[in-house]
Amino acid sequence: MIKTDAPWCAVLVLGLTSLAAAAPGPLPPDDDKDLARAILKELVEIKTTHDVGTTVAARAIEQHLLKAGFAPEDVVFAAPSDHPIKGNVVVRFRGRGRGPAVLFLGHLDVVEAKAEDWSVEPFKLTQKDGWFYGRGTIDMKDGDAALLEALIRLRRGRFEPDRDVIAAFTADEEAGGDANGPAFLLKEHRPLIEAGLVVNLDGGGGTYKNGKRQFFELGTSEKTYVTYTLEATGPGGHGSLPGPDNPIYTLADGLGRLEHHHFPVMMTDTTRASFASLADLAPAEVSADMRAVARNPPDPAAAERLSQEVRFNAELRTTCVATLISGGHAENALPQRAKATIQCRMMPGDSAASVQNALTNTLNDPKITIALDAPPIVSPESPLTPQIRKKVEAVAHSMWPGVPVVPTMATGFSDDRQTRNAGMPSYDLSGVWSDSAENRAHGRDERVGVREFDESVEYTYRLLEEMSKTK
Ligand SMILES: [Zn+2]
C-alpha cells in the first residue's frame, strides 16, 4: 500500500482551511452491503501473509465469481509453478469490445501481524465502535471485497460494459518478492490482463481532518526505488599504527558530503497539479509558495522554503539517503573495507544513470566505488488526461459532492510500477476515507471505518461502471 506514504498529509499538519463537515455518502443496497461485509470477513480470516501465500484466498474469490455466473473460461486461477502458494485469480467481464480493456488491480497478501501486539485478533474481523478491525482491513482486503462485490452486483444487473472489465486479485505485493502477481501475470499470461487503462485500489482514497472531508486523491505516479552500495577499501594493518588511508574515514567523509547534497527540483504534471490544488486549501504563506512551485519554471526560493518540510521535499526532488553502514573486521585492526547502502527514490522521468552521476560528483572521491544493487523498475508518470480527471470527479462527486480531487504522486511504490513499466497507464483510486492522523496499515490494530467501508463498496461499483465506458 502506498497511501500512508502520500506526503500530502503534510498540508494537513500545517493546517487547512476548513471545509464542510463530512456529510455521509450514499450506501449500497442492503443485500450488497451485507455481501461486501461477508466477503471482507471471509478474506480477512484467510491468512495471506508472505509465508502462507494467497492461493486459498484466490480460490475463494474464484468460487464467488463462478457462483455469480461468470463463465469458467473467464475466471482464471494462475500461480507460478515454483510458488504454488502465490496464487492469483483474474476475471474478465466481457463488454461490447469498444476499445481496449480496463484492468482493476487488488493485492491479496497482507503484512504479518502478531496476536500479542494487537488488542483484537488480527486474523479475525472484529466490529467495534464503528470500526472493522483486522489485518488487511485498510490494506487492502477492503478494496478486494469492494471490487469483488461490485463485479457480482454488475453481473446480477446484467450490465453490459462498453469494453472488457478485467479484475486481477494478486499475490506478493507487500513482500515485493519473486512471486509478485502482476509481474508474473505480465510475464507469463499477459493477454489475460492486457489493458489500455489500469485502476489500482491500493492507493488514493479520501482524507479527513477532524471529521471533515479535505480531499480525494487521484494517484497518477510514484517514485522509483533504486539502491546503491558504496564501498571504500584500504591496506589495513595493526590498530597501533594508523595511517592516512582508512576506508571508514574515506566513506564517512563522502557520506557527509552526500547528506548536504540536494538533487535539483523536478516537477511533473502531477506534482504541479498537486501543489496548485492544495494551495487552495493551505494557509496563506504556504499557499503562495505552493502556487509559485506549481508555475513553470518553479520558483526556486519557494521550493527551498517548502523543502524544509520533509514530505514536500520528497515531492519536489529525487532523494538519496544512507540507510545501512558496515566496516572493519576487528577491534584492534585498521579497517580494510567500509560499505554503505544508499536508498534513492527517483522522480518519474529521472534515471539511475543521472542519479549515479550525481552520487559520483557529490562523493567526489575515486576511492569510493558506487554499485547499483539491482536495475530499478522504472515507473513513469501516467498521464493526467482531462478524460481521467473527468471520470474520477464524476464518480467522486456523485458520492461526496464538491470534494476536491487532487492528483498525487506517491513517494512509496505499489504494483503500479509493474503495469506502468509495461506501458499501461495506471491510477490509484481507492474509495476509502480515513483521517490524516490514522496510520495503521502494516501496523497494529489495523482498521477501516464501517461507514467508510460501506461507502467504498458503493463507490467501487460506480467506479467500475464509469471506467468501463470508453467515453
Ligand atoms: Zn497495499
Side-chain angles (χ1 to χ4, degrees):
M1 107 105 48
I2 54 174
K3 182 173 166 61
T4 49
D5 291 310
W8 300 113
C9 292
V11 81
L12 301 172
V13 176
L14 295 169
L16 273 174
T17 53
S18 241
L19 293 168
L27 295 177
D30 279 348
D31 287 356
D32 292 291
K33 186 178 80 181
D34 293 346
L35 176 59
R37 288 183 182 192
I39 294 170
L40 177 65
K41 176 175 161 64
E42 182 181 358
L43 291 179
V44 166
E45 297 183 2
I46 299 173
K47 196 173 178 185
T48 54
T49 49
H50 186 68
D51 54 333
V52 178
T54 49
T55 289
V56 176
R59 289 291 190 193
I61 289 172
E62 182 184 31
Q63 285 314 305
H64 278 286
L65 291 164
L66 294 173
K67 207 176 108 199
F70 284 93
E73 63 269 26
D74 290 336
V75 182
V76 178
F77 172 88
S81 52
D82 52 345
H83 291 92
I85 63 168
K86 300 293 171 83
N88 307 274
V89 63
V90 181
V91 58
R92 180 175 297 261
F93 198 131
R94 292 195 181 270
R96 299 191 189 96
R98 294 187 189 144
V102 54
L103 167 67
F104 281 76
L105 277 182
H107 69 80
L108 290 170
D109 59 317
V110 293
V111 173
E112 184 56 83
K114 301 252 179 267
E116 60 266 33
D117 300 332
W118 282 51
S119 69
V120 290
E121 269 291 314
F123 296 101
K124 197 172 164 293
L125 190 74
T126 303
Q127 186 175 350
K128 202 174 76 172
D129 308 327
W131 297 91
F132 284 128
Y133 286 85
R135 176 57 90 221
T137 48
I138 195 83
D139 183 15
M140 60 158 291
K141 286 175 168 170
D142 57 328
D144 298 326
L147 180 55
L148 176 56
E149 205 286 325
L151 289 163
I152 295 171
R153 185 174 163 193
L154 288 169
R155 169 95 213 167
R156 194 195 320 123
R158 306 197 180 282
F159 178 66
E160 263 194 277
D162 284 350
R163 52 179 158 191
D164 286 6
V165 176
I166 307 168
F169 299 88
T170 60
D172 232 12
E173 190 271 341
E174 298 295 0
D178 43 5
N180 175 268
F184 160 71
L185 292 169
L186 283 165
K187 188 158 170 272
E188 306 279 336
H189 302 279
R190 181 146 179 169
L192 266 187
I193 62 162
E194 184 70 47
L197 170 69
V198 180
V199 174
N200 190 346
L201 301 176
D202 195 25
T207 299
Y208 293 132
K209 191 183 184 196
N210 300 330
K212 291 177 181 171
R213 296 190 196 280
Q214 303 293 348
F215 55 85
F216 188 80
E217 290 184 37
L218 159 57
T220 65
S221 48
E222 59 192 33
K223 290 179 110 175
T224 297
Y225 176 108
V226 59
T227 304
Y228 296 89
T229 300
L230 309 186
E231 187 173 299
T233 54
H238 197 277
S240 67
L241 295 169
D245 196 5
N246 183 320
I248 290 181
Y249 294 143
T250 302
L251 188 62
D253 289 346
L255 292 175
R257 290 187 286 276
L258 183 60
E259 182 189 359
H260 299 289
H261 174 72
H262 297 290
F263 283 80
V265 171
M266 202 170 162
M267 304 299 292
T268 68
D269 286 350
T270 298
T271 58
R272 261 190 292 273
S274 292
F275 280 113
S277 307
L278 290 167
D280 295 338
L281 304 171
E285 62 290 2
V286 184
S287 172
D289 282 346
M290 286 178 159
R291 284 184 222 287
V293 295
R295 279 195 286 274
N296 206 355
D299 179 75
E304 190 51 41
R305 282 188 297 274
L306 288 173
S307 297
Q308 302 310 308
E309 169 62 51
V310 168
R311 301 199 203 207
F312 293 146
N313 182 53
E315 288 289 316
L316 289 166
R317 50 169 56 88
T318 294
T319 61
C320 288
V321 62
T323 54
L324 292 168
I325 189 163
S326 66
H329 57 283
E331 177 201 356
N332 55 0
L334 300 177
Q336 285 157 356
R337 192 178 304 275
K339 278 188 185 190
T341 298
I342 304 297
Q343 242 286 278
C344 302
R345 302 296 176 110
M346 298 191 295
M347 291 294 291
D350 206 347
S351 71
S354 97
V355 171
Q356 184 155 344
N357 198 27
L359 288 176
T360 305
N361 291 337
T362 305
L363 294 166
N364 191 25
D365 187 340
K367 283 185 291 197
I368 304 174
T369 62
I370 306 171
L372 180 65
D373 280 15
I377 300 172
V378 173
S379 187
E381 177 171 64
S382 297
L384 188 58
T385 61
Q387 193 202 33
I388 194 84
R389 282 187 94 148
K390 206 174 104 224
K391 281 176 174 290
V392 175
E393 281 172 359
V395 178
H397 291 163
S398 80
M399 293 291 303
W400 308 291
V403 67
V405 172
V406 177
T408 52
M409 174 188 78
T411 54
F413 62 87
S414 72
D415 281 337
D416 291 341
R417 60 188 184 148
Q418 307 290 354
T419 46
R420 287 188 183 128
N421 197 35
M424 303 181 193
S426 308
Y427 301 92
D428 296 313
L429 289 169
S430 160
V432 171
W433 285 77
S434 55
D435 195 90
S436 56
E438 180 89 3
N439 187 8
R440 300 184 183 212
H442 301 193
R444 70 185 289 272
D445 290 352
E446 183 178 343
R447 65 183 185 177
V448 65
V450 172
R451 175 88 202 181
E452 284 71 16
F453 173 71
D454 292 343
E455 287 181 14
S456 82
V457 171
E458 177 63 21
Y459 158 89
T460 304
Y461 170 78
R462 296 182 186 193
L463 185 69
L464 251 75
E465 203 175 21
E466 179 62 41
M467 290 300 173
S468 75
K469 294 180 197 157
T470 44
K471 287 245 165 58

